[in-house]
Amino acid sequence: MTKILITGSKGQVGRCLVEQLNNTIDIEFIALDRNELDITDSTSVEKIVTSFRPNVIINAAAHTAVDRAEEEVDLSYAINRDGPRNIAEAAEKIGAAILHISTDYVFAGDKDGEYVENDETGPQGIYGKSKLAGEIAVAQACHRHIIIRTAWVFSEHGGNFVKSMLRLAESRDTLGIVADQFGGPTYAGDIAAALIKISAAITKGASVEFGIYHYSGMPHVSWYDFAKTIFVEATEQDMLKKPTAINPIATADYPTPAKRPANSKLNNRKIYSQFGIAPSCWPLALKNLKNYTS
């Protein structure tokens, strides 16, 4: 029987993983949140891993507060670099594979067109720098590693752009939304499904090319276009009487402590070629917005 260990089980991807694995036969899994496993404690990580002896470890734990990371530098590196290293080292000791989630923020965001896996990195803030450090640590510590870079994650769980837009629509008649940052909104449930499919390929002995993969949603849009679609869907689903009026604004009009990539477009061809995993269809994931308000 396949055994999977999940860290960060209360995050967006972690919760989706648990939901999907609960309905999957022939897989035994343990899902731990930060209160149950501090990934920055190498002793605790090794104890859990050597006791459960999973075939695959999925690290969905991360410090994702992009703006707070500019102040919480040590914490960001502890969770985004040191924790993944601890997990990867423990995986290597028992011959397990590690699937680690990373981000579009490892890129500068100044490229024309889509980013591919071997493009030069150039993170602009602490979040991106700490996540890139985590990628490097995982790759160095465990040779059986899959690093999944994703972007603009949303789901029914936790805090995200979709839920923020629905909440703001209740109290605002007009919103200004950034229109000069572009990327692929990615449904966390699709990320979870991709991770489970990759785990199955690994445990079934398929010829797997370990390394870095990109996985995000299509089509690519701006935050403004994404918000517009959310409000159209909310209106059609009788959650709003009419779409909330939104105005396109520039990044310069909405200053934040951390710099965001202007271009977060990730190319998905490699993951499709290797595993048959198609990009996340984010418009489809917006078809039941009532689930995002609970």
Side-chain angles (χ1 to χ4, degrees), residues 3 16 18 40 47 58 109 123 209 213 236-237 283 288-289 293:
K3 299 172 74 173
C16 290
V18 170
T40 68
K47 182 178 179 180
I58 301 177
E209 179 184 342
Y213 290 84
E236 292 180 354
Q237 294 173 41
N288 197 353
L289 285 176
T293 59

Side-chain angles (χ1 to χ4, degrees), residues 207 209 213 267-278:
S207 178
E209 179 184 342
Y213 290 84
N267 183 292
N268 289 263
R269 281 196 292 268
K270 182 181 175 183
I271 197 169
Y272 181 77
S273 175
Q274 173 71 26
F275 298 105
I277 296 172

Side-chain angles (χ1 to χ4, degrees), residues 52-121:
F52 183 55
R53 301 193 72 80
N55 305 100
V56 176
I57 304 173
I58 301 177
N59 180 36
H63 186 282
T64 59
V66 175
D67 289 323
R68 285 212 321 268
E70 295 299 308
E71 298 292 332
E72 299 173 344
V73 177
D74 291 344
L75 181 63
S76 296
Y77 276 95
I79 298 174
N80 293 339
R81 178 195 61 197
D82 302 341
R85 179 192 293 121
N86 292 338
I87 297 168
E89 287 177 347
E92 181 73 10
K93 287 180 180 178
I94 66 164
I98 178 171
L99 276 53
H100 174 68
I101 302 172
S102 192
T103 174
D104 57 298
Y105 276 70
V106 300
F107 295 115
D110 55 2
K111 179 184 177 179
D112 291 329
E114 300 175 348
Y115 279 98
V116 295
E117 286 80 356
N118 60 357
D119 275 333
E120 183 180 358
T121 54

